Each structure stands twice: as C-alpha cells, then as structure tokens.
Amino acid sequence: MHTVPDSGIPIGSSLAFRFHLAVDIEGFSQLPVAEQVRSQDDLEYAMSEAAASAAIDRETWYRQLCGDGELAVLPADTEGLCLVADYPRSLAAALAEINRSPDRGSRLRIRMAIHHGTFYPGRFGPVGKGPITVSRLVDAPVLRQMLKQRTDLDIALIVSGAVYDEVIQSRFHELDPAMFQRTTIRIKGASYVGYLYFTNSSAGSQFKKS
C-alpha cells in the first residue's frame, strides 16, 4: 500500500476526522531573501518548542510545507485541549523570545487557524473539507486585518466552528468562549464560520492563563 510521502498515512485508506493546523508568516513575500530564510528557521524553532511545551509530538504530524508556513494534519490521538489551549500559549511565548533578539530586523508574526474535520489521504497530500477549511480560515481577511490593527500581537488566531463547539466551549484549560468572536468568511463562492480570538494583552502574553 502506498503512503503519503513522509507521513506514514496510507493513500486512499479511509475518510478520517483529524485536527488540522495552518500557519502562515505575515508579510513573508515582502522580506529580503535572507530574512525569509531566517523567518522559516525561527518559525520551525518556535513551533517545535511550543509543541514540546504543550506535550504534543510534532514528529507525528503530516506537514505540507510552503514558503511562508505549513498545513498540518495531526494524529488521531491528538489531545484537543493541548492543541487548542496550550499550544497557542506556548507558541506566543516562543515567538516573543525570538522577537526580543536585538539583531532581528523585523518581528516574526503569524496567522494561525485550527480546525477539526474530515480529510482523505490523497497521493499528493491530504484532500477534503478539513484541509480546505483550515486553509481558507488562515487566509481570512479578518485575520490579516487583526495583525494590521494590533501591532502589539505576534499571533492572530482563528478556530473553526467545530473547534469552538467541541473544544472552546468545554472551558477546560481555562478556555473562555467569550474571548472568541464569531465571523463568517466568504471565499471562492463558499462560506466558512470561524471564531477569531480577541485579547487586550500584549504580544507574548496574549494566550496566557488568567
């Protein structure tokens, strides 16, 4: 049986429900090449450190890489609370540490989306509503606008309606549904419901527990 390259996921095995994560570096295309390379390295470091801190094994993710970020499908046994509550907090702390470096030319700022839904292991990577939904959410204009308006933040986070209903509303790990604002995104003729995370805290502390 063939597998999706570097993922261990059998091609054409079955339709599955998984957590999906998408991350993009804000303003990546406008950076000089040297800064693009550094931003990629720094993002990889931050995501790996955050995963370790949140007790998530990043080595088990299927990762579809692009120049300014990645789309990941996480294993079936991923703990949703660790991903949705703990991972953003740890990632914000890692980014704040990177951005405090005195020799960094520009701050590393990202857009992040989390979804839980279906995917099918295709020959060239995961296909289905899950990967499409998380990709649409991370590209949402409202997410880009948040980073423009809130220059103090390093992360703009949006979760899908499924994640909001299944994880955020549980209130475990000090999740607060009131911190998420419902928004409808229409892209390429389709509508997607997302919940944008709002905070009054500054970068590096925006996801910390109260």
Side-chain angles (χ1 to χ4, degrees):
M1 179 179 291
H2 297 293
T3 61
V4 176
D6 301 322
S7 71
I9 301 175
I11 294 173
S13 56
S14 63
L15 189 69
F17 279 87
R18 299 285 181 87
F19 279 102
H20 297 72
L21 175 77
V23 173
D24 277 352
I25 299 171
E26 186 71 5
F28 183 82
S29 62
Q30 300 170 9
L31 297 173
V33 174
E35 281 293 310
Q36 290 181 344
V37 172
R38 179 171 181 174
S39 293
Q40 288 179 337
D41 290 343
D42 285 346
L43 179 59
E44 174 61 28
Y45 168 81
M47 294 184 71
S48 296
E49 288 293 302
S53 178
I56 300 173
D57 185 3
R58 185 161 154 79
E59 295 297 321
T60 62
W61 300 9
Y62 166 73
R63 300 167 58 197
Q64 192 170 65
L65 305 178
C66 57
D68 58 354
E70 71 175 58
L71 184 156
V73 179
L74 279 66
D77 61 354
T78 298
E79 170 54 58
L81 289 168
C82 291
L83 175 65
V84 178
D86 301 335
Y87 185 73
R89 292 168 182 152
S90 299
L91 184 56
L95 290 174
E97 176 189 352
I98 288 169
N99 288 330
R100 282 193 293 267
S101 174
D103 63 342
R104 202 169 209 294
S106 59
R107 277 172 52 203
L108 177 59
R109 308 176 74 215
I110 65 170
R111 305 186 315 279
M112 181 163 67
I114 304 174
H115 174 55
H116 187 253
T118 57
F119 90 104
Y120 191 84
R123 184 166 298 278
F124 295 108
V127 297
K129 292 195 70 174
I132 291 173
T133 297
V134 78
S135 297
R136 297 291 184 259
L137 290 176
V138 82
D139 280 334
V142 66
L143 208 59
R144 297 177 184 272
Q145 189 64 28
M146 168 167 272
L147 284 183
K148 289 181 180 178
Q149 293 176 344
R150 293 292 306 276
T151 57
D152 57 316
L153 300 182
D154 292 330
I155 301 177
L157 170 66
I158 192 169
V159 302
S160 67
V163 169
Y164 181 83
D165 291 339
E166 297 168 7
V167 184
I168 303 296
Q169 293 209 66
S170 75
R171 296 181 180 266
F172 287 121
H173 288 220
E174 300 190 35
L175 287 168
D176 184 359
M179 297 295 291
F180 292 80
Q181 180 174 310
R182 190 181 191 274
T183 183
T184 301
I185 301 151
R186 187 163 183 82
I187 301 177
K188 296 186 177 180
S191 294
Y192 303 86
V193 173
Y195 287 80
L196 185 65
Y197 180 83
F198 277 88
T199 178
N200 293 322
S201 300
S202 60
S205 62
Q206 63 184 101
F207 297 105
K208 285 186 178 179
K209 300 177 182 178
S210 58

